[in-house]
């Protein structure tokens, strides 16, 4: 509640001056101090002065000696002169200068024969005093009806007013008077202090929920203030003391205004404002207390409530629940996580959900459990995963008979060995402490039985990936794959959820007996699609690269006429095979070795010998190259001088084939092959029959 106190509230200049005068006299003189009537209209102030020795009388005639103080309202001229002329007593004039000024004015106008009209309360001492200075001949009007009753007169009129009437009254009645009299002088004698006080009071009253006007019931200006404030604030109360404060519901009051009449001392205003502030404070405290009481959480065992972590030690975690005492979670009740570390996992200030185990034991503590809430949440999570068939992340905590156990903070899920992977797992221990994605395939909350499967997840992932592969596959497209298995006829490669086959012939440009000569299981390989059939689920893959083909670019390297170097790798009766670069063998027919006739190639050549030869023929389709040594540097046999022995009769070896060398050296590859076939037909089992392997 806001309390607004009018700055002009309390003693006016005139009252203040009079009270100070009396107090001074009471302090400084032993004489009896009198006032004729109360010096101001305030019983509390007068009472205090009386307690100090002030004597209040109704008439000066009863005063025989002492010191008389004329009060602020002033007295009639006759009374004033009686006091002044009484030699038996002293006097001090505390008449307010504003009032004194009116006395002089009406006395002067009265002497001039003017009719004085006083607007004010005829019973008020000030008005009576003013009238006395007009020889008690003034007309006193206080209401409209009073003016109406006046008889019209040609006599000049002088209009003054009581210092404390409202401006409104002055305006209204002076207007009526002006209509009634032709020769009128108006003197607005409303005191400035009164004007200011009334204006301020009306401003405050129009902006507050309740208005207090402090002052005596006999105080005219206080009553005027009350009238003014009541116009602007329906809840306006006139009080004399703090004991008169109205009994209202102060909670409904946001603003209260306080003003006071000119006779109201500051200490009385302070008493009232202090009381209001005290009531306001009490009300706030009541509000705070009520708010506090309302804020106190009602806790019951079994509830799940939110709390804020405010601290922890080695054994317990402390939680603010908004309850009169904090909650306690023992470390065992905090988490099911086997890797739980209080130093890193407990965050001061973090809001958590807790289960109330017990409320208010004899020591007034509240014991909580966080892990119960976690378990409940995780059961719900698992239940939702089961119903929605969505995968969940779990950590393998234990290898048990027939499978493994996964745990999600308090919830145990059994995964059979056959469901740990989509392939056979030899050692389940390799999955210990690993986090994997599973689907719940069996859920029984009553028996608390949960069965999970990673295999289902993997198969679904594979199916999804396979569909993506089938949707985008095309001949020539390359994939990074993983070798999943090897057989005699090729290697199976996973290219992303679907397997393709690299036929053994597509593994290498050279002849291999088994795919394991090129690849191992789990090798990562780059393959390209040679062909595919989605309906049959078959994909043929190529692995060997065109640029690795030894015959790649052979038409340039082994163009007819080119001179090439090579090494003798095999000797056969009809010629010799010379290995050129890149694992290609060329054939030098026996007739193309020497310029002279030789019986067999081994007469002039041996395996491993390096030779130079000219390309005489190139057949890319059959992948055959014909060479001629003699066109580059013919190799002739060395003839040794022998002693003159009788010549041996020529004898044909039984096992040696006889090859008729053609005198025409321009043999074709076809001729050579014929020779080769002749040789093979006679000697199929010789080791040197590997010509086909090399050539084809
Ligand atoms: Fe004088 Fe005005 Fe006060 S007339 S006594 S100053 S209210």
């Amino acid at each position: 509640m806001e309390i607004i106190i009018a700055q002009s509230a309390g003693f006016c200049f005139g009252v203040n001056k009079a009270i100070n005068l009396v107090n001074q006299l009471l302090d400084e003189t032993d004489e009896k101090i009198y006032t004729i009537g109360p010096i101001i209209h305030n019983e509390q102030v007068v009472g205090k002065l009386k307690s100090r020795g002030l004597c209040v009388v109704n008439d000066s005639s009863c005063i025989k000696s002492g010191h008389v103080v004329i009060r602020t309202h002033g007295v009639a001229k006759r009374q004033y002169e009686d006091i002044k002329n009484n030699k038996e007593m002293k006097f001090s004039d505390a008449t307010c200068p504003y009032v004194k000024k009116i006395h002089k004015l009406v006395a002067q106008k009265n002497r001039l024969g003017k009719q004085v009209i006083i607007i004010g309360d005829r019973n008020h001492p000030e008005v009576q005093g003013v009238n006395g200075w007009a020889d008690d001949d003034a007309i006193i009007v206080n209401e409209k009806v009073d003016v109406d009753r006046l008889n019209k007169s040609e006599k000049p009129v002088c209009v003054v007013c009581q210092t404390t009437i409202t401006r409104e009254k002055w305006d209204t009645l002076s207007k009526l008077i002006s209509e009634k009299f032709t020769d009128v002088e108006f003197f607005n004698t409303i005191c400035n202090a009164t004007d200011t006080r009334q204006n301020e009071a009306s401003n405050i009253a129009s902006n507050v929920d309740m208005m207090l006007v402090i002052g005596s019931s006999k105080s005219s200006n206080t009553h005027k203030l009350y009238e003014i404030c009541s116009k602007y604030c329906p809840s306006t109360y006139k009080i004399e003391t703090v004991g008169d404060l109205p009994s209202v519901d102060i909670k409904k009051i946001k603003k209260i205004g306080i003003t006071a009449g000119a006779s109201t001392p500051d200490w009385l205003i302070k008493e009232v404002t202090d009381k209001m502030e005290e009531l306001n404070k009490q009300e706030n405290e009541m509000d705070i207390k009520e708010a506090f009481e309302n804020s106190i959480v009602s806790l019951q065992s079994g509830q799940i409530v939110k709390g804020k972590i405010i601290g922890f030690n080695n054994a317990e975690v402390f939680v603010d629940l908004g309850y009169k005492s904090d909650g306690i979670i023992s470390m065992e009740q905090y988490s099911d996580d086997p890797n739980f570390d209080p130093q890193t996992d407990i965050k001061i200030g973090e809001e958590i959900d807790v289960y109330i185990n017990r409320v208010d034991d004899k020591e007034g503590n509240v014991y909580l459990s966080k892990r119960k809430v976690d378990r409940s949440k995780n059961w719900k999570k698992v239940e939702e995963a089961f119903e929605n068939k969505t995968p969940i992340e779990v950590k393998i905590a234990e290898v048990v008979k027939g499978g493994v156990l996964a745990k999600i903070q308090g919830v145990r899920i059994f995964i059979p060995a056959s469901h740990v992977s989509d392939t056979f797992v030899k050692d389940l221990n390799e999955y210990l402490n690993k986090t994997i994605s599973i689907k719940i395939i069996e859920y029984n909350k009553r028996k608390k039985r949960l069965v999970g499967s990673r295999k289902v997840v993997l198969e679904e992932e594979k199916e999804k990936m396979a569909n993506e592969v089938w949707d985008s596959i095309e001949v020539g497209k390359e994939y990074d794959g993983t070798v999943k298995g090897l057989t005699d006829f090729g290697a199976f490669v996973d290219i992303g959820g679907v397997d393709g086959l690299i036929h053994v012939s597509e593994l290498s440009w050279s002849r291999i007996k088994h795919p394991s000569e090129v690849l191992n299981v789990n090798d990562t390989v780059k393959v390209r699609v040679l062909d595919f059939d989605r309906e049959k689920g078959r994909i043929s893959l190529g692995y060997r690269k065109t640029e690795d083909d030894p015959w790649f670019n052979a038409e340039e390297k082994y163009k007819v006429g080119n001179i090439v170097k090579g090494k003798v790798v095999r000797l056969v009766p009809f010629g010799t095979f010379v290995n050129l670069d890149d694992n290609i063998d060329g054939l030098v027919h026996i007739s193309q070795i020497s310029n002279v006739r030789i019986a067999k190639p081994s007469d002039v050549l041996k395996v491993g010998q390096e030779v130079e030869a000219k390309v005489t023929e190139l057949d890319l389709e059959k992948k055959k190259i014909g060479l001629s040594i003699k066109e580059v540097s013919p190799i002739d046999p060395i003839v040794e001088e022998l002693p003159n022995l009788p010549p041996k009769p020529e004898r044909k070896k039984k096992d040696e084939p006889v090859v008729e060398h053609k005198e025409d050296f321009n043999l074709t590859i076809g001729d050579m092959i014929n020779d080769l076939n002749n040789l093979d037909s006679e000697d199929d089992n010789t080791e040197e029959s590997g010509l086909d392997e090399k050539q084809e």
Side-chain angles (χ1 to χ4, degrees):
M1 179 178 66
E2 185 184 357
I3 300 174
I4 303 169
I5 304 168
Q7 288 185 348
S8 58
F11 282 176
C12 63
F13 152 76
V15 169
N16 202 39
K17 187 167 170 251
I19 298 298
N20 286 342
L21 174 64
V22 173
N23 274 318
Q24 188 180 357
L25 289 171
L26 288 169
D27 288 340
E28 294 177 356
T29 177
D30 295 332
E31 292 173 312
K32 193 74 179 171
I33 309 297
Y34 295 93
T35 58
I36 300 165
I39 189 163
I40 59 170
H41 280 151
N42 189 285
E43 289 76 7
Q44 288 74 29
V45 175
V46 173
K48 282 198 171 192
L49 292 173
K50 278 182 178 176
S51 68
R52 295 195 65 204
L54 178 69
C55 189
V56 180
V57 296
N58 291 327
D59 195 318
S60 58
S61 59
C62 62
I63 303 170
K64 301 300 176 197
S65 63
H67 197 127
V68 176
V69 178
I70 298 174
R71 59 183 176 174
T72 52
H73 299 314
V75 292
K77 184 181 179 186
R78 178 180 38 81
Q79 197 172 11
Y80 177 80
E81 286 175 347
D82 284 349
I83 294 168
K84 187 180 173 185
N85 294 330
N86 190 335
K87 302 298 177 192
E88 299 299 319
M89 58 185 177
K90 295 178 184 173
F91 91 100
S92 295
D93 190 358
T95 306
C96 173
Y98 289 111
V99 178
K100 223 171 176 62
K101 193 174 171 186
I102 304 171
H103 291 171
K104 285 182 183 171
L105 178 67
V106 298
Q108 181 198 6
K109 296 299 177 185
N110 186 52
R111 275 198 305 275
L112 292 173
K114 293 196 174 185
Q115 176 61 58
V116 174
I117 296 178
I118 306 168
I119 300 174
D121 180 2
R122 68 181 62 252
N123 298 316
H124 194 276
E126 179 194 321
V127 175
Q128 290 171 347
V130 171
N131 190 22
W133 286 86
D135 294 334
D136 293 325
D137 196 28
I139 299 170
I140 301 169
V141 294
N142 199 31
E143 305 288 343
K144 179 173 174 289
V145 67
D146 298 333
V147 179
D148 291 342
R149 285 197 200 114
L150 293 177
N151 294 321
K152 286 196 175 181
S153 166
E154 295 303 316
K155 194 177 176 182
V157 172
C158 163
V159 182
V160 295
C161 67
Q162 187 180 342
T163 55
T164 53
I165 67 163
T166 63
R167 181 169 287 279
E168 186 185 0
K169 179 175 276 191
W170 167 261
D171 290 342
T172 305
L173 297 188
S174 59
K175 184 167 181 285
L176 289 172
I177 291 168
S178 69
E179 289 168 359
K180 208 133 195 173
F181 301 96
T182 52
D183 187 2
V184 190
E185 279 184 296
F186 291 97
F187 297 92
N188 179 352
T189 52
I190 297 174
C191 157
N192 280 344
T194 301
D195 219 10
T196 303
R197 189 188 310 271
Q198 290 177 352
N199 285 336
E200 191 183 13
S202 63
N203 284 337
I204 293 174
S206 57
N207 286 300
V208 295
D209 306 308
M210 187 173 101
M211 192 75 194
L212 293 178
V213 182
I214 312 169
S216 168
S217 58
K218 292 175 184 164
S219 164
S220 171
N221 73 84
T222 301
H223 186 71
K224 303 278 173 25
L225 282 175
Y226 171 73
E227 284 181 348
I228 291 167
C229 291
S230 296
K231 275 189 188 176
Y232 298 99
C233 176
S235 299
T236 297
Y237 300 89
K238 188 168 72 171
I239 60 170
E240 284 193 35
T241 67
V242 70
D244 301 328
L245 278 171
S247 173
V248 293
D249 186 357
I250 208 162
K251 275 194 285 190
K252 293 180 180 170
I253 299 168
K254 290 182 180 170
K255 281 186 185 176
I256 182 168
I258 296 177
T259 187
S263 307
T264 309
D266 288 348
W267 57 264
L268 196 51
I269 298 170
K270 190 169 184 305
E271 270 186 10
V272 173
T273 53
D274 284 353
K275 184 66 181 175
M276 292 309 299
E277 279 171 358
E278 185 188 328
L279 289 172
N280 189 31
K281 193 176 168 190
Q282 283 174 1
E283 201 56 46
N284 285 340
E285 284 172 355
M286 290 279 287
D287 287 348
I288 292 166
K289 191 179 170 193
E290 192 178 334
F292 177 71
E293 283 171 355
N294 289 339
S295 72
I296 290 177
V297 180
S298 167
L299 298 179
Q300 289 180 339
S301 299
Q303 269 185 304
I304 293 175
V305 295
K306 287 193 182 301
K308 193 178 277 187
I309 297 174
I310 53 174
F312 67 95
N313 57 29
N314 288 339
E316 294 167 327
V317 182
F318 306 103
V319 180
D320 176 14
L321 300 168
Y323 190 60
K324 54 190 176 187
S325 47
D326 294 329
I328 299 169
I329 312 174
S330 65
M331 283 301 174
E332 298 80 55
Q333 288 294 325
Y334 193 87
S335 175
D336 276 314
D337 187 352
N339 300 318
F340 168 64
D341 177 6
Q343 297 302 327
T344 54
D345 293 340
I346 297 177
K347 308 266 186 307
I348 304 287
E350 185 184 8
E351 191 176 72
I352 57 171
D353 292 322
V354 289
Y355 177 89
I356 299 173
N357 275 341
R358 261 185 306 141
V359 183
D360 267 343
D361 69 347
K362 287 175 187 171
E363 294 175 344
N365 293 326
V366 183
Y367 290 101
L368 311 170
S369 171
K370 177 175 169 291
R371 72 175 190 179
K372 279 187 184 172
V373 179
D374 292 342
R375 282 182 188 180
S376 171
K377 282 182 185 172
N378 287 328
W379 266 103
K380 188 145 190 66
K381 188 173 156 188
V382 170
E383 188 179 354
E384 285 174 0
F386 174 72
E387 285 172 357
N388 300 329
K389 296 184 169 49
T390 49
I392 50 171
E393 298 279 311
V394 295
K395 194 171 189 177
I396 306 298
E398 210 177 321
V399 175
V400 295
K401 188 180 177 185
V404 293
L405 272 182
K407 286 184 182 174
I408 314 177
Q409 292 199 10
V411 179
R412 292 150 60 97
I413 303 165
F414 175 67
I415 304 172
S418 59
H419 280 269
V420 171
S421 176
D422 56 344
T423 56
F424 173 70
V425 180
K426 196 174 176 184
D427 182 7
L428 291 172
N429 283 304
E430 69 185 62
Y431 281 89
L432 258 184
N433 295 321
K434 283 192 176 168
T435 299
I436 59 172
S437 184
I438 62 164
K439 276 195 170 183
I440 305 299
I441 55 174
E442 190 181 329
Y443 174 79
N444 188 325
K445 192 171 184 179
R446 190 175 57 79
K447 292 183 180 174
K448 292 195 177 298
R449 177 178 165 77
L450 289 166
V451 179
S453 171
R454 178 169 175 257
K455 182 178 159 185
V456 171
V457 175
L458 295 174
E459 284 176 348
E460 285 178 358
E461 283 175 358
K462 269 183 123 178
E463 189 181 340
K464 189 179 168 199
M465 288 166 65
N467 285 335
E468 286 173 4
V469 169
W470 283 117
D471 289 344
S472 62
I473 195 167
E474 54 189 50
V475 172
K477 189 169 181 178
E478 290 192 332
Y479 291 91
D480 288 321
T482 305
V483 178
K484 306 302 285 185
L486 300 173
T487 65
D488 289 344
F489 53 88
F492 287 99
V493 176
D494 178 4
I495 58 170
V498 61
D499 288 350
L501 173 67
I502 310 173
H503 191 266
V504 67
S505 62
E506 285 295 330
L507 280 170
S508 173
W509 289 105
S510 56
R511 182 173 292 185
I512 57 172
K513 288 180 179 170
H514 194 269
S516 58
E517 293 174 38
V518 180
L519 297 175
N520 293 310
V521 173
N522 291 328
D523 277 356
T524 301
V525 291
K526 189 175 276 297
V527 293
R528 69 186 178 284
V529 177
L530 301 177
D531 196 9
F532 67 91
D533 185 332
R534 184 166 188 170
E535 282 187 10
K536 291 179 180 171
R538 288 183 189 159
I539 301 174
S540 295
L541 301 172
Y543 174 68
R544 61 184 187 179
K545 295 177 189 164
T546 304
E547 57 269 30
D548 293 338
D549 183 356
W551 288 91
F552 181 72
N553 210 21
E555 71 270 26
E556 283 297 315
K557 287 170 75 178
Y558 305 114
K559 195 158 54 177
V560 173
N562 280 4
I563 307 297
V564 294
K565 282 184 179 179
K567 195 178 277 185
V568 174
V569 289
R570 281 176 68 206
L571 295 168
V572 291
F574 56 84
T576 182
F577 288 98
V578 174
N579 181 239
L580 304 173
D581 291 343
D582 306 323
N583 217 15
I584 294 177
D585 289 351
L587 175 62
V588 186
H589 193 266
I590 192 169
S591 62
Q592 294 298 313
I593 295 173
S594 175
N595 281 332
V596 296
R597 185 185 176 114
I598 55 175
K600 52 186 185 301
S602 57
D603 289 345
V604 293
L605 293 170
K606 56 185 177 185
V607 172
Q609 183 177 342
E610 288 194 350
V611 293
E612 264 191 330
K614 185 178 185 179
V615 178
T616 56
E617 191 167 357
L618 173 67
D619 189 335
L620 290 174
E621 200 174 320
K622 293 179 180 173
K623 293 185 176 168
K624 295 185 185 298
I625 296 175
L627 302 170
S628 171
I629 292 174
K630 76 176 185 181
E631 287 195 34
V632 181
S633 55
I635 304 171
D636 296 334
I638 299 167
V639 180
E640 292 182 6
E641 289 290 329
L642 296 172
N644 290 328
L645 295 174
K648 277 188 178 178
E650 211 169 275
R651 185 169 62 89
K652 182 184 174 185
K653 284 185 182 174
K654 188 181 176 185
D655 298 331
E656 187 178 350
V658 176
V659 178
E660 286 294 328
H661 299 313
K662 294 187 178 169
E663 292 301 320
D664 183 1
F665 286 171
N666 294 322
L667 286 173
T668 65
I669 289 175
D671 297 331
M672 296 181 205
I673 289 169
N674 286 337
D675 289 343
L676 203 58
N677 288 338
N678 289 337
L679 176 67
D680 288 343
S681 61
E682 291 180 18
D683 193 9
D684 266 348
N685 295 325
T686 60
E687 278 195 10
E688 295 189 345
S689 67
L691 176 64
D692 283 344
E693 291 174 18
K694 290 282 184 186
Q695 289 284 301
E696 294 178 0

